Amino acid sequence: MGETTVKIPEGTKASPTPPSGATADESGPVSGSGRQRRIRSPRRPRIWFEILLIAVSYWIYSLVRNAVPEQKAEALRNADWIWHAERSMGLGFEEAVNHAVNSVTWLVVAMNYYYATLHFIVTIAVLVWLYRRHPGRYAASRLILFATTAVALAGYYLYPLAPPRLMNGQNFIDTVRIHETWGSMASGNFKAVSNQYAAMPSMHIGWSLWCGLTILALAKAPWAKILGMLYPVLTLVVIVATANHFWLDAVGGMICLAFGFTVSYVWYRALPHQLPRWVEDDRPRRRWLRGPGTPGEPVAPRPRRLPLGHAVRSTSPTRTAPPGTSSPPTPTAPSPRSSPSPRTSRPGRAAPTGQVPPPGRAAPSSQTAP
């Protein structure tokens, strides 16, 4: 009693009323776990946001890296310790490689430019490729790169390290200064604007290995996978041959990259290649604020075509006549089976029951001749 029931005529669509506590893009209240799951789900990246984010992040990275105090004395002591540790293990090969490559002018100059340019070009190219071809995996891969770079900044502050070319009492050759090329931000004309004692960890290895693993996991062409894995190997040769890093600096870059992969896995609960390649647009869908037929609304399925001869059922609502009155008979749609199309019977065969034989032919008698 007291309740009013509103019946909606068939064929019309009622606009749902948002329940209490609902948001504009959901039909029900969003719990804390649901909101957290939505934040952690892959989204389609926005080009303007990504360009701004990368530009600001690299500016902050350069600012923090160069703002680390150049603790020259401690950096040189750490370099002497690492060089002694490598030689005690029988792996102090940096000086030999440095002198061998320096004897080939065209090779060492090419390595100087490799060190200066590909570090940025290849990394940006892989980010663009992910944005265009793997948007569902872009955010997770970008988080790996950012987390790797962030922990590297802590390493620059906590463990200042001089590169081999700046060590005292050693025979390492500064290939950029000798051949007058601009292959290093910490040598030549750029040394006044860059911290020269931030060699541990090596982000040349961290970023190049990130590029190589990303290409290896997501590229389809075998040649692309091979180039992806050769890139960090060549980068390791370059940083050692130009005397910009020890090979232990490369190990530090790998550890930072492992940290980046861990952060991304904890956040997205999957590695980038395990996430879907394509994702839907994550812009909010205001369902009850848009009329029927608006893009994004669910479309009603088309009525299924019934096969020939299938009985048609009436879907109109049954009306109840008031007491004491006779209700008019409900018209029934004729069944297709009630009027089958005439078939031409073959000679010598009886026509089906209820079917008129063709003109000029008599219907065969069902009686047996004596």
Side-chain angles (χ1 to χ4, degrees), residues 10 62 84 86-87 220 235 242 314 338:
E10 185 179 0
S62 301
H84 176 73
E86 289 184 351
R87 286 188 298 178
K220 295 182 179 180
T235 303
T242 56
S314 176
S338 61

Side-chain angles (χ1 to χ4, degrees), residues 234-302:
L234 291 176
T235 303
L236 176 61
V237 175
V238 167
I239 66 173
V240 170
T242 56
N244 281 292
H245 290 281
F246 297 100
W247 66 264
L248 279 177
D249 300 342
V251 175
M254 296 177 187
I255 295 175
C256 293
L257 182 63
F259 174 81
F261 269 99
T262 303
V263 171
S264 180
Y265 182 82
V266 170
W267 183 257
Y268 289 100
R269 298 173 183 174
L271 295 176
H273 70 277
Q274 297 172 339
L275 296 172
R277 179 177 180 180
W278 304 101
V279 293
E280 295 182 358
D281 200 345
D282 62 331
R283 284 177 291 185
R285 298 179 178 180
R286 303 178 182 273
R287 297 178 180 175
W288 51 77
L289 298 181
R290 298 190 291 188
T294 307
E297 288 291 331
V299 181
R302 293 183 177 181

Side-chain angles (χ1 to χ4, degrees), residues 47-355:
I47 182 64
W48 64 268
F49 176 77
E50 296 302 326
I51 293 177
L52 181 63
L53 180 64
I54 292 173
V56 172
S57 299
Y58 184 73
W59 176 74
I60 295 175
Y61 164 76
S62 301
L63 187 66
V64 174
R65 181 180 185 271
N66 298 331
V68 174
E70 293 189 1
Q71 303 172 358
K72 182 177 179 180
E74 185 178 356
L76 290 174
R77 286 196 301 269
N78 291 335
D80 291 335
W81 184 89
I82 285 185
W83 181 232
H84 176 73
E86 289 184 351
R87 286 188 298 178
S88 63
M89 293 185 293
L91 297 175
F93 51 79
E94 289 92 341
E95 186 176 343
V97 174
N98 176 239
H99 283 264
V101 173
N102 186 69
S103 61
V104 184
T105 303
W106 66 267
L107 181 59
V108 69
V109 171
M111 287 188 173
N112 286 336
Y113 287 113
Y114 180 108
Y115 186 88
T117 59
L118 292 189
H119 178 54
F120 305 101
I121 294 175
V122 176
T123 305
I124 295 176
V126 173
L127 283 171
V128 173
W129 174 65
L130 287 171
Y131 179 87
R132 295 292 303 275
R133 303 301 298 272
H134 300 268
R137 299 158 178 165
Y138 174 86
S141 300
R142 186 235 300 150
L143 179 58
I144 294 174
L145 191 64
F146 279 34
T148 300
T149 307
V151 74
L153 291 175
Y156 298 149
Y157 183 83
L158 298 175
Y159 194 80
L161 179 67
R165 57 184 175 78
L166 294 181
M167 292 179 64
N168 296 326
Q170 304 298 332
N171 279 332
F172 287 101
I173 301 173
D174 191 340
T175 59
V176 174
R177 183 177 59 84
I178 294 297
H179 298 279
E180 298 182 352
T181 57
W182 47 276
S184 174
M185 290 294 294
S187 293
N189 298 328
F190 296 98
K191 62 182 180 181
V193 295
S194 178
N195 185 2
Q196 300 184 75
Y197 302 103
M200 172 68 80
S202 171
M203 279 297 94
H204 275 75
I205 291 300
W207 289 10
S208 64
L209 187 57
W210 172 83
C211 294
L213 293 177
T214 301
I215 295 173
L216 178 66
L218 301 180
K220 295 182 179 180
W223 62 266
K225 294 179 178 290
I226 294 174
L227 289 179
M229 290 311 300
L230 285 178
Y231 175 55
V233 176
L234 291 176
T235 303
L236 176 61
V237 175
V238 167
I239 66 173
V240 170
T242 56
N244 281 292
H245 290 281
F246 297 100
W247 66 264
L248 279 177
D249 300 342
V251 175
M254 296 177 187
I255 295 175
C256 293
L257 182 63
F259 174 81
F261 269 99
T262 303
V263 171
S264 180
Y265 182 82
V266 170
W267 183 257
Y268 289 100
R269 298 173 183 174
L271 295 176
H273 70 277
Q274 297 172 339
L275 296 172
R277 179 177 180 180
W278 304 101
V279 293
E280 295 182 358
D281 200 345
D282 62 331
R283 284 177 291 185
R285 298 179 178 180
R286 303 178 182 273
R287 297 178 180 175
W288 51 77
L289 298 181
R290 298 190 291 188
T294 307
E297 288 291 331
V299 181
R302 293 183 177 181
R304 184 170 57 91
R305 293 185 178 181
L306 299 177
L308 184 62
H310 193 279
V312 179
R313 296 181 179 180
S314 176
T315 58
S316 59
T318 304
R319 298 180 180 179
T320 304
T325 61
S326 59
S327 58
T330 304
T332 306
S335 174
R337 293 186 179 181
S338 61
S339 57
S341 60
R343 300 179 182 177
T344 304
S345 60
R346 297 181 182 177
R349 297 184 63 180
T353 305
Q355 196 170 3

